[in-house]
mmCIF file of all heavy atoms in Angstrom:
data_model
loop_
_atom_site.group_PDB
_atom_site.id
_atom_site.type_symbol
_atom_site.label_atom_id
_atom_site.label_comp_id
_atom_site.label_asym_id
_atom_site.label_seq_id
_atom_site.Cartn_x
_atom_site.Cartn_y
_atom_site.Cartn_z
ATOM 1 N N ASN G 91 93.132 103.133 128.667
ATOM 2 C CA ASN G 91 92.020 103.859 128.128
ATOM 3 C C ASN G 91 91.243 104.315 129.277
ATOM 4 O O ASN G 91 91.457 104.004 130.459
ATOM 5 C CB ASN G 91 91.268 103.066 127.114
ATOM 6 C CG ASN G 91 90.615 101.922 127.544
ATOM 7 O OD1 ASN G 91 90.193 101.875 128.734
ATOM 8 N ND2 ASN G 91 90.297 100.892 126.731
ATOM 9 N N GLY G 92 90.195 105.069 128.866
ATOM 10 C CA GLY G 92 89.263 105.810 130.063
ATOM 11 C C GLY G 92 88.307 104.918 130.636
ATOM 12 O O GLY G 92 87.649 105.243 131.528
ATOM 13 N N ARG G 93 88.238 103.595 130.193
ATOM 14 C CA ARG G 93 87.253 102.540 130.733
ATOM 15 C C ARG G 93 87.994 101.550 131.554
ATOM 16 O O ARG G 93 87.260 100.535 131.748
ATOM 17 C CB ARG G 93 86.490 102.012 129.473
ATOM 18 C CG ARG G 93 85.586 103.030 128.779
ATOM 19 C CD ARG G 93 84.859 102.486 127.670
ATOM 20 N NE ARG G 93 85.735 101.671 126.722
ATOM 21 C CZ ARG G 93 85.935 102.019 125.487
ATOM 22 N NH1 ARG G 93 85.586 103.158 125.034
ATOM 23 N NH2 ARG G 93 86.782 101.222 124.776
ATOM 24 N N GLY G 94 89.221 101.733 131.854
ATOM 25 C CA GLY G 94 89.915 100.738 132.644
ATOM 26 C C GLY G 94 90.456 99.620 131.900
ATOM 27 O O GLY G 94 91.083 98.767 132.463
ATOM 28 N N GLY G 95 90.446 99.718 130.577
ATOM 29 C CA GLY G 95 91.110 98.696 129.716
ATOM 30 C C GLY G 95 92.376 99.284 129.107
ATOM 31 O O GLY G 95 92.869 100.208 129.627
ATOM 32 N N VAL G 96 92.799 98.530 127.944
ATOM 33 C CA VAL G 96 93.907 99.224 127.172
ATOM 34 C C VAL G 96 93.566 99.187 125.805
ATOM 35 O O VAL G 96 92.677 98.481 125.336
ATOM 36 C CB VAL G 96 95.107 98.173 127.465
ATOM 37 C CG1 VAL G 96 95.620 98.281 128.918
ATOM 38 C CG2 VAL G 96 94.807 96.726 127.042
ATOM 39 N N PHE G 97 94.259 100.078 125.116
ATOM 40 C CA PHE G 97 94.063 100.234 123.760
ATOM 41 C C PHE G 97 94.795 99.031 122.946
ATOM 42 O O PHE G 97 95.744 98.630 123.505
ATOM 43 C CB PHE G 97 94.643 101.561 123.138
ATOM 44 C CG PHE G 97 93.804 102.812 123.666
ATOM 45 C CD1 PHE G 97 94.371 103.635 124.633
ATOM 46 C CD2 PHE G 97 92.573 103.046 122.938
ATOM 47 C CE1 PHE G 97 93.483 104.713 124.932
ATOM 48 C CE2 PHE G 97 91.872 104.116 123.359
ATOM 49 C CZ PHE G 97 92.363 104.924 124.450
ATOM 50 N N ARG G 98 94.264 98.654 121.769
ATOM 51 C CA ARG G 98 94.866 97.609 120.883
ATOM 52 C C ARG G 98 94.924 98.148 119.550
ATOM 53 O O ARG G 98 93.966 98.676 119.047
ATOM 54 C CB ARG G 98 93.924 96.355 120.961
ATOM 55 C CG ARG G 98 93.844 95.845 122.346
ATOM 56 C CD ARG G 98 92.693 94.692 122.502
ATOM 57 N NE ARG G 98 92.088 94.205 121.264
ATOM 58 C CZ ARG G 98 92.085 92.927 120.933
ATOM 59 N NH1 ARG G 98 92.379 91.982 121.873
ATOM 60 N NH2 ARG G 98 91.601 92.542 119.897
ATOM 61 N N CYS G 99 96.143 98.054 119.044
ATOM 62 C CA CYS G 99 96.357 98.517 117.637
ATOM 63 C C CYS G 99 95.496 97.864 116.521
ATOM 64 O O CYS G 99 95.292 96.581 116.618
ATOM 65 C CB CYS G 99 97.814 98.355 117.310
ATOM 66 S SG CYS G 99 98.266 98.992 115.645
ATOM 67 N N GLY G 100 94.960 98.482 115.708
ATOM 68 C CA GLY G 100 94.204 97.973 114.538
ATOM 69 C C GLY G 100 94.582 98.702 113.268
ATOM 70 O O GLY G 100 94.854 99.956 113.286
ATOM 71 N N MET G 101 94.729 97.998 112.194
ATOM 72 C CA MET G 101 95.065 98.620 110.805
ATOM 73 C C MET G 101 93.866 98.309 109.847
ATOM 74 O O MET G 101 93.943 97.449 109.143
ATOM 75 C CB MET G 101 96.249 98.131 110.371
ATOM 76 C CG MET G 101 97.546 98.350 111.354
ATOM 77 S SD MET G 101 98.001 100.136 111.244
ATOM 78 C CE MET G 101 98.853 100.261 109.760
ATOM 79 N N PHE G 102 92.899 99.270 109.758
ATOM 80 C CA PHE G 102 91.862 99.103 108.881
ATOM 81 C C PHE G 102 91.217 100.415 108.603
ATOM 82 O O PHE G 102 91.154 101.310 109.637
ATOM 83 C CB PHE G 102 90.847 98.070 109.243
ATOM 84 C CG PHE G 102 90.410 98.095 110.637
ATOM 85 C CD1 PHE G 102 89.419 98.953 111.098
ATOM 86 C CD2 PHE G 102 91.068 97.295 111.624
ATOM 87 C CE1 PHE G 102 88.921 98.948 112.336
ATOM 88 C CE2 PHE G 102 90.693 97.301 112.866
ATOM 89 C CZ PHE G 102 89.732 98.137 113.314
ATOM 90 N N SER G 103 90.744 100.675 107.540
ATOM 91 C CA SER G 103 90.217 102.018 107.279
ATOM 92 C C SER G 103 88.734 102.033 106.749
ATOM 93 O O SER G 103 87.918 103.006 106.886
ATOM 94 C CB SER G 103 90.926 102.761 106.111
ATOM 95 O OG SER G 103 90.837 101.993 104.989
ATOM 96 N N VAL G 104 88.200 100.798 106.534
ATOM 97 C CA VAL G 104 86.750 100.774 106.085
ATOM 98 C C VAL G 104 86.620 101.746 104.950
ATOM 99 O O VAL G 104 87.453 101.946 104.086
ATOM 100 C CB VAL G 104 85.814 100.704 107.249
ATOM 101 C CG1 VAL G 104 84.489 100.246 106.815
ATOM 102 C CG2 VAL G 104 86.321 99.764 108.409
ATOM 103 N N ASP G 105 85.590 102.519 105.219
ATOM 104 C CA ASP G 105 85.212 103.622 104.225
ATOM 105 C C ASP G 105 85.798 104.957 104.732
ATOM 106 O O ASP G 105 85.549 106.016 104.131
ATOM 107 C CB ASP G 105 83.700 103.764 104.036
ATOM 108 C CG ASP G 105 83.323 102.523 103.226
ATOM 109 O OD1 ASP G 105 84.022 101.945 102.472
ATOM 110 O OD2 ASP G 105 82.007 102.366 103.270
ATOM 111 N N TRP G 106 86.490 105.078 105.879
ATOM 112 C CA TRP G 106 86.998 106.388 106.449
ATOM 113 C C TRP G 106 88.034 106.884 105.547
ATOM 114 O O TRP G 106 88.207 108.165 105.566
ATOM 115 C CB TRP G 106 87.517 106.157 107.722
ATOM 116 C CG TRP G 106 86.716 105.431 108.864
ATOM 117 C CD1 TRP G 106 85.314 105.505 108.877
ATOM 118 C CD2 TRP G 106 87.049 104.528 109.875
ATOM 119 N NE1 TRP G 106 84.798 104.786 109.967
ATOM 120 C CE2 TRP G 106 85.952 104.088 110.462
ATOM 121 C CE3 TRP G 106 88.278 103.960 110.227
ATOM 122 C CZ2 TRP G 106 85.870 103.195 111.595
ATOM 123 C CZ3 TRP G 106 88.291 103.075 111.282
ATOM 124 C CH2 TRP G 106 87.113 102.695 111.897
ATOM 125 N N ARG G 107 88.626 106.125 104.704
ATOM 126 C CA ARG G 107 89.598 106.551 103.898
ATOM 127 C C ARG G 107 89.156 107.698 102.851
ATOM 128 O O ARG G 107 89.904 108.559 102.477
ATOM 129 C CB ARG G 107 90.244 105.409 102.983
ATOM 130 C CG ARG G 107 89.361 104.786 101.960
ATOM 131 C CD ARG G 107 89.894 103.445 101.461
ATOM 132 N NE ARG G 107 89.208 102.928 100.358
ATOM 133 C CZ ARG G 107 89.373 103.189 99.090
ATOM 134 N NH1 ARG G 107 90.483 103.891 98.763
ATOM 135 N NH2 ARG G 107 88.692 102.669 98.128
ATOM 136 N N PHE G 108 87.797 107.621 102.508
ATOM 137 C CA PHE G 108 87.286 108.640 101.618
ATOM 138 C C PHE G 108 87.104 109.921 102.514
ATOM 139 O O PHE G 108 87.417 110.957 101.987
ATOM 140 C CB PHE G 108 85.851 108.192 101.109
ATOM 141 C CG PHE G 108 85.840 106.944 100.143
ATOM 142 C CD1 PHE G 108 85.639 105.732 100.721
ATOM 143 C CD2 PHE G 108 86.312 107.159 98.900
ATOM 144 C CE1 PHE G 108 85.692 104.670 99.880
ATOM 145 C CE2 PHE G 108 86.403 105.929 98.120
ATOM 146 C CZ PHE G 108 86.059 104.805 98.554
ATOM 147 N N TRP G 109 86.586 109.791 103.655
ATOM 148 C CA TRP G 109 86.353 111.007 104.529
ATOM 149 C C TRP G 109 87.756 111.675 104.908
ATOM 150 O O TRP G 109 87.958 112.757 104.846
ATOM 151 C CB TRP G 109 85.583 110.487 105.789
ATOM 152 C CG TRP G 109 85.499 111.692 106.826
ATOM 153 C CD1 TRP G 109 84.361 112.511 106.777
ATOM 154 C CD2 TRP G 109 86.271 111.927 107.867
ATOM 155 N NE1 TRP G 109 84.617 113.347 107.936
ATOM 156 C CE2 TRP G 109 85.696 112.957 108.629
ATOM 157 C CE3 TRP G 109 87.419 111.380 108.519
ATOM 158 C CZ2 TRP G 109 86.328 113.656 109.747
ATOM 159 C CZ3 TRP G 109 87.973 111.992 109.608
ATOM 160 C CH2 TRP G 109 87.475 113.028 110.155
ATOM 161 N N MET G 110 88.681 110.743 105.317
ATOM 162 C CA MET G 110 90.134 111.265 105.579
ATOM 163 C C MET G 110 90.677 111.886 104.294
ATOM 164 O O MET G 110 91.436 113.006 104.440
ATOM 165 C CB MET G 110 90.977 110.023 106.045
ATOM 166 C CG MET G 110 90.539 109.514 107.437
ATOM 167 S SD MET G 110 91.535 108.046 107.801
ATOM 168 C CE MET G 110 90.924 107.585 109.312
ATOM 169 N N GLY G 111 90.612 111.145 103.258
ATOM 170 C CA GLY G 111 91.109 111.748 101.910
ATOM 171 C C GLY G 111 90.612 113.133 101.570
ATOM 172 O O GLY G 111 91.354 113.916 101.247
ATOM 173 N N GLU G 112 89.235 113.335 101.694
ATOM 174 C CA GLU G 112 88.615 114.529 101.456
ATOM 175 C C GLU G 112 89.212 115.692 102.328
ATOM 176 O O GLU G 112 89.265 116.866 102.000
ATOM 177 C CB GLU G 112 87.183 114.552 101.824
ATOM 178 C CG GLU G 112 86.325 113.670 100.737
ATOM 179 C CD GLU G 112 84.986 113.470 101.146
ATOM 180 O OE1 GLU G 112 84.535 113.902 102.221
ATOM 181 O OE2 GLU G 112 84.244 112.807 100.359
ATOM 182 N N ARG G 113 89.947 115.372 103.477
ATOM 183 C CA ARG G 113 90.437 116.261 104.399
ATOM 184 C C ARG G 113 92.019 116.368 104.311
ATOM 185 O O ARG G 113 92.641 116.930 105.132
ATOM 186 C CB ARG G 113 89.939 116.122 105.774
ATOM 187 C CG ARG G 113 88.525 116.344 105.964
ATOM 188 C CD ARG G 113 87.818 115.647 107.072
ATOM 189 N NE ARG G 113 86.431 115.855 107.197
ATOM 190 C CZ ARG G 113 85.469 115.562 106.380
ATOM 191 N NH1 ARG G 113 85.765 114.751 105.375
ATOM 192 N NH2 ARG G 113 84.272 115.790 106.631
ATOM 193 N N THR G 114 92.537 115.618 103.289
ATOM 194 C CA THR G 114 94.022 115.594 103.160
ATOM 195 C C THR G 114 94.585 116.231 101.886
ATOM 196 O O THR G 114 93.924 116.041 100.936
ATOM 197 C CB THR G 114 94.522 114.086 103.290
ATOM 198 O OG1 THR G 114 93.893 113.445 104.396
ATOM 199 C CG2 THR G 114 95.997 113.922 103.288
ATOM 200 N N ALA G 115 95.503 117.078 102.110
ATOM 201 C CA ALA G 115 96.165 117.761 100.947
ATOM 202 C C ALA G 115 96.840 116.702 100.118
ATOM 203 O O ALA G 115 96.867 115.508 100.296
ATOM 204 C CB ALA G 115 97.186 118.773 101.430
ATOM 205 N N ALA G 116 97.358 117.182 98.951
ATOM 206 C CA ALA G 116 97.959 116.370 97.910
ATOM 207 C C ALA G 116 99.221 115.793 98.659
ATOM 208 O O ALA G 116 99.833 116.457 99.530
ATOM 209 C CB ALA G 116 98.507 117.157 96.762
#
Side-chain angles (χ1 to χ4, degrees):
N91 65 31
R93 296 182 305 250
V96 294
F97 289 107
R98 298 166 17 131
C99 181
M101 296 291 285
F102 45 87
S103 61
V104 194
D105 289 337
W106 307 324
R107 68 192 187 97
F108 296 103
W109 179 85
M110 293 174 180
E112 288 172 358
R113 289 154 179 79
T114 305

